[in-house]
Amino acid sequence: MRRDRLFHDMTLDFLQPPHPKPGNTVFLHFRCGQDDAKKVILVYRNGVQLVEEEMKKHHSEDGYDYYLFKEKIPENSDTIYYYFRIEGDGETLYYDRRGVSFSVPDYYKFRMILGYETPDWAKGAVMYQIFVDRFRNGDPSNDVLTDEYKYVGGRSIQVTNWKKYPDPDGDIREFYGGDLQGVLDKLDYLKDLGIEVIYFNPLFVSPSCHKYDTQDYDHIDPHFGVIITDNGDLLEENDENRNATCYIDRVTNKENLEASDALFAKVVSEAHKRGIRVILDGVFNHCGSFNKWMDKERIYENARGYEPGAYIAKNSPYHDYFSFYGGEWPYNNNYEGWWGYDTLPKLNYEGSKKLENYILDIGRKWVSAPYYADGWRLDVAADLGHSSEYNHSFWKKFREAVKEANPDALILAEHYGSAHEWLKGGEWDSVMNYDAFMEPLTYFLTGMEKHSDEFHGELMGDVNRFWDTMITAGADNFVQESALVAMNELSNHDHSRFLTRTNHVVGRCGTKGFIAAEEGVRKAVMRQAVTVQMTWPGAPTIYYGDEAGMCGFTDPDNRRTYPWGTEDQEMIRFHKEMIHIHKTSVELKTGSIVRLDAGDGVLAFGRFNRISATVVVINTNEYLTVNEISLAPLGIPDEARLIRVMESNNKGFTTDPLSYTVKNGKLVRAYGSDSAVVLQYNRITAVNEEAFWSTNFFRM
């Protein structure tokens, strides 16, 4: 049997309906080479029962046979595991999520999780992550001022030089003035770039620049929003008080808070008008010591309309929101902090049903009128609670609450390692895809660890290891519904910029300095990474400024300001072209993926459906290679024509079209060092293209 023609996955061409429910009639298709198989047998387990069903040949097309299995799913079904046994002349093969194997699958069976459905708008959606303080200062009147308040042993600092590098030691208290008005001002830029979703780092009231230490979940921070009332004074040079009147007035005044919330609603509305969705960052595992429920810094003690915090009043209504220990009142620092940080009090959900209901209401609030956010990204989601049992119980309730308020909302979680237990249809929709995207791609193209803390040159160009890691981690975490909405990032606020990783410098800004992050970077390798990002299954997510050529070691250096006026325009143009290719090619949003064999150091894969196909070739070698690549796994005719739509190398990139003829199912062409090539085939237009190229090819 021709093994490269065997194929099945859970995309629409091979499974209908795409997210079946109990009671549905399901249609499963399997593809093999024409006349290759004597029998194709579906082997599946529903509960404890193992069933074998011989599939029927449905039709033949372009040298391929398509087999069909049709069956009504029993009403009491939950998750169905299945694989295929293919019997030919003198051999028996098996097919599972890895592809062809010679043994009965175990770990890699296909999983049909009945009723698991993720938002269609998020499948393959191009996302853009904004760290708000560093994106654009649209309203200087709301800036955090120098000496406005104290936090983590120092005073707040207003940075007036937009181009200044972040302070390696005090960045948490440095504020550059980026805000929601700045985002509003640049929505047309994001639309022109091709962005479909904005993911905001936290926006709620908080004393830090990163805002992962929430002070008030009910309101947008006025320093990102609007400051109407401002009657406070700055800290004096010798003022040792913990609180600052100026800060208190700005972040507790209802007029400021309501105006800031209204500005956020306007941002979402204007984004929606441009076809851009908005998702929020939910930090629900812990809050901040400034939080109105704890109030360690006495921000809310005398503020009108606020109950006393758990740190300052023994009878606080929020006492059970936290875990205090070790002695009688006053508690001082005797409370549980996330990773031991007293500035990050861990929330005690098991101790307070009121807290649980409050956060569930927050989940509902921001995806409902008048804000209409489109979903949540959940910070350290697997850490919430004090047991896995409670963790799963909470996220099921959270999903129910959010989806009831907005059935089309997306729920993504930050998670490292196996997310299998959370991705069964009742909790998260998907995850930030570290294990099956960012890490393996970084090692493959740069050899660098994602913080730039280590270099492993032996991993560069290792196609087998890359593919095995992507498939293994993906099979563990995802089914089709979760894979297509997984957040595929190259960089973000927690890791070094991908462009910096291309220079192979191990270190951080505190030891290497800032310039070292910019020296010797390889833009061609960055373009290779973006090419994979925009053609791999999932939601390609750009960290603000990556498209403009930004560099930086891990945080805080990865949080430099967007370089307005000094952007790398070529890199922006490349991103726009690749985003356009991604958005106009249905197979790149929801199609199948197969590996293509292209030799050592050359990654080749195809995305396809029954109508069209995209071929991607990445040459990591430092020399020109000529490769013969079989396109049989794509299911296209043996005699076909591919059109080059993108080619990048060390000299730049081009989108000028070139035509390549496929003979006997083989594509033969050369690939330069550090190159990325994207070629496409369309079955419907193939005849028209043939006529076009016969008359126009030599005119190009």
Side-chain angles (χ1 to χ4, degrees):
M1 285 183 284
R2 291 168 288 182
R3 292 164 195 164
D4 60 355
R5 298 193 173 220
L6 302 174
F7 190 78
H8 170 84
D9 67 5
M10 301 179 74
T11 60
L12 185 60
D13 284 339
F14 294 91
L15 170 66
Q16 298 103 31
H19 27 74
K21 299 176 175 62
N24 287 166
T25 296
V26 67
F27 297 81
L28 278 171
H29 298 267
F30 187 84
R31 189 196 76 195
C32 61
Q34 190 166 353
D35 300 327
D36 281 1
K38 300 300 182 184
K39 289 183 180 180
V40 176
I41 298 167
L42 173 68
V43 184
Y44 66 93
R45 178 169 59 83
N46 186 4
V48 297
Q49 184 180 12
L50 188 67
V51 181
E52 296 189 5
E53 295 279 358
E54 184 173 348
M55 302 178 72
K56 296 181 179 179
K57 186 185 294 188
H58 184 264
H59 71 283
S60 299
E61 182 179 63
D62 293 329
Y64 299 85
D65 288 335
Y66 290 86
Y67 285 77
L68 172 66
F69 172 78
K70 174 184 174 183
E71 189 72 41
K72 184 177 180 179
I73 301 172
E75 292 288 350
N76 62 348
S77 301
D78 182 8
T79 299
I80 297 174
Y81 296 85
Y82 68 94
Y83 63 93
F84 301 89
R85 186 172 74 243
I86 307 99
E87 298 178 2
D89 286 328
E91 66 175 342
T92 298
L93 300 174
Y94 299 88
Y95 197 94
D96 59 13
R97 296 188 68 180
R98 294 170 300 178
V100 180
S101 64
F102 295 93
S103 59
V104 176
D106 182 16
Y107 181 78
Y108 293 99
K109 295 183 180 75
F110 292 100
R111 278 185 295 147
M112 187 188 300
I113 303 176
L114 301 175
Y116 192 175
E117 185 173 357
T118 57
D120 285 340
W121 64 262
K123 293 180 172 71
V126 181
M127 300 188 178
Y128 191 88
Q129 178 184 351
I130 297 180
F131 191 90
V132 179
D133 184 60
R134 309 297 160 83
F135 184 65
R136 182 174 173 84
N137 188 346
D139 179 9
S141 72
N142 65 18
D143 290 0
V144 174
L145 303 176
T146 297
D147 293 335
E148 185 173 324
Y149 59 94
K150 288 183 178 180
Y151 187 55
V152 195
R155 298 166 184 260
S156 62
I157 299 170
Q158 180 184 17
V159 179
T160 57
N161 177 9
W162 185 256
K163 296 181 180 180
K164 174 189 171 297
Y165 293 117
D167 183 348
D169 300 314
D171 181 67
I172 190 174
R173 296 181 299 273
E174 286 190 323
F175 297 89
Y176 288 72
D179 50 32
L180 288 177
Q181 184 60 50
V183 176
L184 196 59
D185 293 343
K186 289 298 180 180
L187 284 178
D188 287 335
Y189 163 74
L190 297 178
K191 179 183 178 182
D192 184 61
L193 187 62
I195 300 306
E196 297 171 293
V197 183
I198 293 172
Y199 152 45
F200 281 117
N201 283 109
L203 299 177
F204 304 124
V205 181
S206 158
S208 68
C209 66
H210 57 66
K211 304 204 178 300
Y212 282 95
D213 42 7
T214 309
Q215 184 172 328
D216 187 347
Y217 293 98
D218 278 302
H219 297 289
I220 302 299
D221 195 314
H223 291 105
F224 281 174
V226 180
I227 294 178
I228 299 172
T229 301
D230 184 4
N231 299 319
D233 299 319
L234 301 181
L235 286 172
E236 296 296 336
E237 184 72 25
N238 59 356
D239 192 339
E240 296 301 326
N241 293 328
R242 289 183 181 274
N243 53 3
T245 307
C246 178
Y247 182 72
I248 294 172
D249 190 68
R250 288 179 162 194
V251 302
T252 65
N253 181 278
K254 294 298 184 183
E255 192 175 11
N256 292 345
L257 295 170
E258 290 171 1
S260 299
D261 296 346
L263 178 61
F264 172 70
K266 181 180 179 181
V267 170
V268 176
S269 176
E270 291 298 320
H272 285 174
K273 290 177 184 177
R274 292 163 174 82
I276 299 174
R277 306 265 184 162
V278 175
I279 60 175
L280 289 165
D281 211 326
V283 188
F284 302 133
N285 167 70
H286 55 271
C287 62
S289 58
F290 273 48
N291 189 282
K292 63 184 179 183
W293 302 329
M294 175 66 78
D295 202 18
K296 181 180 178 182
E297 283 77 9
R298 299 178 182 270
I299 301 295
Y300 297 91
E301 187 174 13
N302 297 311
R304 182 181 302 175
Y306 292 92
E307 299 279 1
Y311 193 86
I312 61 173
K314 188 174 183 179
N315 62 346
S316 168
Y318 310 119
H319 179 274
D320 292 340
Y321 285 23
F322 307 96
S323 296
F324 291 97
Y325 56 86
E328 300 296 325
W329 176 265
Y331 297 117
N332 297 321
N333 285 339
N334 296 330
Y335 57 83
E336 182 183 5
W338 186 62
W339 281 28
Y341 291 106
D342 63 358
T343 56
L344 300 175
K346 183 169 175 60
L347 293 170
N348 181 31
Y349 288 90
E350 291 94 331
S352 174
K353 187 69 175 177
K354 183 180 176 182
L355 169 64
E356 178 186 86
N357 289 335
Y358 197 107
I359 295 299
L360 294 178
D361 284 342
I362 291 296
R364 295 185 191 95
K365 172 181 176 176
W366 293 101
V367 300
S368 304
Y371 309 108
Y372 296 113
D374 298 287
W376 291 95
R377 176 266 189 190
L378 307 172
D379 186 62
V380 292
D383 289 359
L384 186 137
H386 293 89
S387 69
S388 60
E389 291 78 14
Y390 180 80
N391 182 282
H392 288 293
S393 172
F394 177 85
W395 291 126
K396 288 174 182 176
K397 294 175 184 177
F398 185 85
R399 181 183 182 86
E400 182 178 352
V402 170
K403 300 281 187 175
E404 180 182 14
N406 182 352
D408 222 18
L410 179 67
I411 300 174
L412 294 172
E414 176 193 29
H415 188 73
Y416 298 86
S418 174
H420 180 95
E421 293 302 315
W422 288 272
L423 297 180
K424 294 182 176 180
E427 299 178 52
W428 311 336
D429 284 322
S430 196
V431 295
M432 302 177 77
N433 197 4
Y434 295 121
D435 295 338
F437 189 79
M438 181 191 282
E439 282 196 343
L441 185 61
T442 293
Y443 279 128
F444 174 69
L445 291 177
T446 73
M448 296 292 289
E449 183 269 342
K450 62 183 179 292
H451 289 282
S452 291
D453 284 342
E454 300 173 10
F455 174 65
H456 298 275
E458 73 280 5
L459 300 181
M460 292 177 61
D462 189 335
V463 178
N464 289 332
R465 182 171 182 136
F466 166 80
W467 194 267
D468 289 346
T469 303
M470 295 285 261
I471 298 305
T472 299
D476 180 59
N477 281 337
F478 305 124
V479 292
Q480 193 71 20
E481 286 293 301
S482 52
L484 293 179
V485 301
M487 188 181 281
N488 290 344
E489 295 184 295
L490 299 175
S491 319
N492 65 19
H493 62 290
D494 284 329
H495 306 100
S496 60
R497 294 272 181 176
F498 188 92
L499 186 55
T500 287
R501 289 176 224 151
T502 67
N503 69 7
H504 304 160
V505 174
V506 174
R508 303 196 175 196
C509 61
T511 56
K512 293 291 186 179
F514 300 100
I515 302 302
E518 306 167 13
E519 294 177 330
V521 297
R522 303 167 66 191
K523 294 181 182 180
V525 176
M526 178 72 182
R527 290 194 293 268
Q528 287 180 313
V530 174
T531 300
V532 176
Q533 182 185 39
M534 293 297 163
T535 55
W536 198 263
T541 304
I542 301 168
Y543 185 41
Y544 79 102
D546 265 9
E547 82 279 12
M550 283 180 65
C551 295
F553 290 116
T554 199
D555 59 283
D557 196 28
N558 55 13
R559 301 169 185 177
R560 299 182 187 185
T561 54
Y562 189 100
W564 299 111
T566 59
E567 304 96 319
D568 184 332
Q569 294 294 343
E570 182 185 52
M571 191 65 76
I572 290 178
R573 288 194 301 273
F574 181 78
H575 275 80
K576 287 176 67 173
E577 294 289 355
M578 283 306 309
I579 290 171
H580 176 74
I581 291 169
H582 173 86
K583 291 173 64 175
T584 56
S585 307
V586 176
E587 70 273 17
L588 295 181
K589 289 224 171 195
T590 58
S592 304
I593 184 170
V594 289
R595 178 179 176 179
L596 304 174
D597 186 10
D600 293 341
V602 181
L603 169 67
F605 60 91
R607 299 290 307 281
F608 68 97
N609 55 35
R610 294 291 296 278
I611 302 299
S612 54
T614 295
V615 176
V616 181
V617 183
I618 307 292
N619 181 19
T620 66
N621 296 304
E622 295 181 355
Y623 49 83
L624 180 77
T625 66
V626 178
N627 301 84
E628 180 183 83
I629 301 175
S630 171
L631 302 184
L634 299 176
I636 66 177
D638 286 345
E639 309 296 320
R641 189 181 297 278
L642 299 183
I643 308 301
R644 182 194 69 180
V645 295
M646 172 64 74
E647 183 157 7
S648 168
N649 54 39
N650 288 318
K651 296 179 181 179
F653 71 92
T654 180
T655 57
D656 291 342
L658 283 178
S659 174
Y660 294 91
T661 300
V662 178
K663 292 289 188 183
N664 298 319
K666 310 284 187 183
L667 170 67
V668 180
R669 62 154 286 176
Y671 303 92
S673 61
D674 291 337
S675 64
V677 178
V678 181
L679 308 106
Q680 295 192 319
Y681 166 82
N682 187 289
R683 188 182 301 274
I684 293 176
T685 61
V687 175
N688 292 333
E689 285 179 353
E690 185 70 31
F692 171 82
W693 288 107
S694 66
T695 58
N696 292 281
F697 179 70
F698 293 104
R699 300 179 189 175
M700 302 303 289

